[in-house]
Amino acid sequence: MTILYEVHDNLYVNLTNKCPCSCTFCLRQTRDHMENSGVLWLEREPSYEEVIAEFSKFDLNKYKEVVFCGFGEPTERIDVLLKVARYVKDTFNKPTRINTNGLGNLVCGRDITPELKGLIDTVSISLNTPNKERYHELVRSRFGDISYDAMLDFAKEAVKYVPHVVMTTVATTITKEEEAECQRICDNIGVKYRIRPFED
């Protein structure tokens, strides 16, 4: 199984294939890997011990960040994620990031943002669109119509505990006017806005 893999200058952690969403633009609909990662579909979810054992295969000095982002929503395994983040901090003192759809509070049934304090340096949240109805069309969350507001609430809470919070959209999937609206949303929340390149 591919548990850890390299993308650019970062080391990525693939904890789960579970996700509450079925986004129309999701990479896993068109591929099973990232660059030289190997297949990212997991046979089963790795234990904390299995994840930790994988780190010995990599030279952590090579990487800028350790990123929780595989072929699933990393907050689906928040308890293991936080234990691994603690290990990364204590052992390698590396910056950590979660790439998330921002629905972790719905997934876990509680506000998980306070638990990120001191363990996660950056949270990157998929905003996708400034329009609630369009968001549901794009993301197709199993939580339905409450998902958009829950994602925004997650961002608002995350800024209290995480040094860097970023919200993203994917280039070419929304209009320039919508991007300007997304910028306003991010400014109001107090987070950075980033337009990610479209990858097919």
Side-chain angles (χ1 to χ4, degrees), residues 150-196:
M151 176 268 298
L152 293 179
D153 289 342
F154 181 84
K156 290 170 187 171
E157 291 303 308
V159 296
K160 299 175 185 176
Y161 306 104
V162 178
H164 309 287
V165 180
V166 182
M167 300 189 85
T168 67
T169 58
V170 178
T172 75
T173 61
I174 59 176
T175 66
K176 293 296 177 191
E177 291 75 22
E178 287 171 319
E179 287 176 352
E181 230 174 303
C182 288
Q183 182 68 67
R184 282 193 292 276
I185 289 169
C186 291
D187 290 344
N188 287 338
I189 296 173
V191 302
K192 183 179 177 184
Y193 175 47
R194 176 172 173 256
I195 302 168
R196 296 188 287 123

Side-chain angles (χ1 to χ4, degrees), residues 132-133 135-136 141-150:
K132 188 173 185 174
E133 290 71 32
Y135 176 86
H136 193 55
S141 163
R142 68 178 165 87
F143 296 111
D145 292 339
I146 64 170
S147 300
Y148 185 74
D149 289 335

